């Protein structure tokens, strides 16, 4: 754990500094703001590739998505912690460089603007740091926090990935003056086929989430005396 944290704490800021230095040398006509913002995006892209690759390795290595565990799933969370801290600072740095171009220094106004413009992203990072990491690493599967997180996951997945499709049909029907049941027969056939291909894996994944959620509310096995 400590080694993974250390690698993450060195890797992401170091990569950011290297990208910024390289861009300044390769593109001297670019402003510091351009170099910093592009470097931030490059580091984020590297993190996305690493996360995707880790996910593919974990999926291919596990035969049972409910019960199987992989060491990379545990270690990558610790690798992610320094990135979230770095990325929060990098976002602030981008905001500071933008305001610096307007002759502003580090100030409370700059920080307030940063919080205002990046409210959702900061919340996202904070939830990962203070909710996901404790839940994933401290074996709190039967805690209230873990169960609430599971319910929220189910709710958002159902709303954003499954109910989105009937909502699209309903919106189209409302615009065209059609009932929801008539919409599939009033749009091109390939649209229905494409939507079916898109929603099928979502339903499958949702069923897996439901199975996992059902296990959340099982009574934890009582410890035997003696």
């Amino acid at each position: 754990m400590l080694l993974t944290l250390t690698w993450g704490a060195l890797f992401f800021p170091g990569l950011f500094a290297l990208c910024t230095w390289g861009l300044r040398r390769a593109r001297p006509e670019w402003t510091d703001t351009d170099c910093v913002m592009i470097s931030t995006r490059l580091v984020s892209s590297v993190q996305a590739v690493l996360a995707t690759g880790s996910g593919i390795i974990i999926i291919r290595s596990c035969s049972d998505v409910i019960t199987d565990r992989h060491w990379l799933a545990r270690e990558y969370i610790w690798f992610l912690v320094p990135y979230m801290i770095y990325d929060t600072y990098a976002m602030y740095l981008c905001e500071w460089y933008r305001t610096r171009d307007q002759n502003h220094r580090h100030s409370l106004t700059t920080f307030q603007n940063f919080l205002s413009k990046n409210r959702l992203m900061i919340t996202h990072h904070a939830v990962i740091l203070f909710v996901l990491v404790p839940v994933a690493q401290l074996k709190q599967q039967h805690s209230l926090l873990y169960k609430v997180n599971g319910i929220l996951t189910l709710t958002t997945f159902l709303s954003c990935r499954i109910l989105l499709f009937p909502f699209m049909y309903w919106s189209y029907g409302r615009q065209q003056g059609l009932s929801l049941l008539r919409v599939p027969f009033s749009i091109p056939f390939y649209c229905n086929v494409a939507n079916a291909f898109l929603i099928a894996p979502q339903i499958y994944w949702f069923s897996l989430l439901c199975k996992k959620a059902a296990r959340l509310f099982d009574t934890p096995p009582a410890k035997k005396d003696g």
Side-chain angles (χ1 to χ4, degrees):
M1 179 191 75
L2 183 59
L3 180 61
T4 306
L5 279 170
T6 303
W7 272 109
L10 294 174
F11 177 76
F12 293 112
L15 181 60
F16 171 78
L18 181 63
C19 290
T20 305
W21 176 81
L23 288 172
R24 283 172 175 166
R25 288 181 62 88
R27 292 288 186 270
E29 70 276 11
W30 287 3
T31 66
D32 288 345
T33 303
D34 294 332
C35 294
V36 167
M37 294 186 68
I38 292 175
S39 297
T40 301
R41 284 163 174 76
L42 287 173
V43 175
S44 296
S45 298
V46 170
Q47 199 295 120
V49 170
L50 291 175
T52 302
S54 300
I56 293 173
I57 293 173
I58 293 168
I59 291 173
R60 291 178 64 88
S61 302
C62 297
S63 57
D64 190 326
V65 298
I66 301 297
T67 60
D68 285 355
R69 295 291 182 268
H70 195 282
W71 66 268
L72 189 55
R74 179 186 65 254
E75 291 299 322
Y76 196 83
I77 288 180
W78 291 117
F79 190 65
L80 189 66
V81 168
Y83 169 76
M84 290 298 168
I85 297 173
Y86 146 80
D87 195 50
T88 302
Y89 174 74
M91 287 190 298
Y92 170 76
L93 197 60
C94 290
E95 177 65 22
W96 179 74
Y97 268 99
R98 282 195 294 266
T99 57
R100 192 189 69 161
D101 289 344
Q102 302 169 10
N103 298 321
H104 290 164
R105 298 180 178 180
H106 288 287
S107 65
L108 181 60
T109 301
T110 303
F111 186 70
Q112 289 175 337
N113 289 337
F114 164 69
L115 293 179
S116 177
K117 293 179 181 179
N118 299 277
R119 188 179 298 111
L120 289 178
M121 187 61 71
I122 294 172
T123 302
H124 167 264
H125 284 32
V127 168
I128 289 179
L129 287 173
F130 300 112
V131 177
L132 173 63
V133 173
V135 165
Q137 299 294 337
L138 300 182
K139 309 298 182 183
Q140 296 181 347
Q141 287 85 349
H142 295 286
S143 68
L144 178 61
L145 178 62
Y146 193 95
K147 293 179 180 179
V148 170
N149 180 70
I151 293 173
L152 291 176
T153 300
L154 279 177
T155 303
T156 53
F157 193 99
L158 177 65
S159 302
C160 299
R161 292 201 174 191
I162 295 180
L163 296 182
L164 172 66
F165 290 89
F167 175 77
M168 289 191 303
Y169 278 64
W170 174 81
S171 299
Y172 177 83
R174 183 183 181 187
Q175 179 178 334
Q176 300 296 325
L178 301 171
S179 66
L180 178 61
L181 296 178
R182 291 180 57 191
V183 171
F185 304 100
S186 304
I187 61 177
F189 177 71
Y190 66 82
C191 292
N192 293 317
V193 174
N195 285 328
F197 274 107
L198 289 173
I199 198 174
Q202 311 300 331
I203 294 175
Y204 171 70
W205 291 328
F206 184 70
S207 68
L208 296 180
L209 287 175
C210 288
K211 292 178 182 178
K212 179 85 178 230
R215 295 173 56 202
L216 286 181
F217 296 93
D218 289 341
T219 302
K223 295 182 180 180
K224 295 182 180 180
D225 296 334

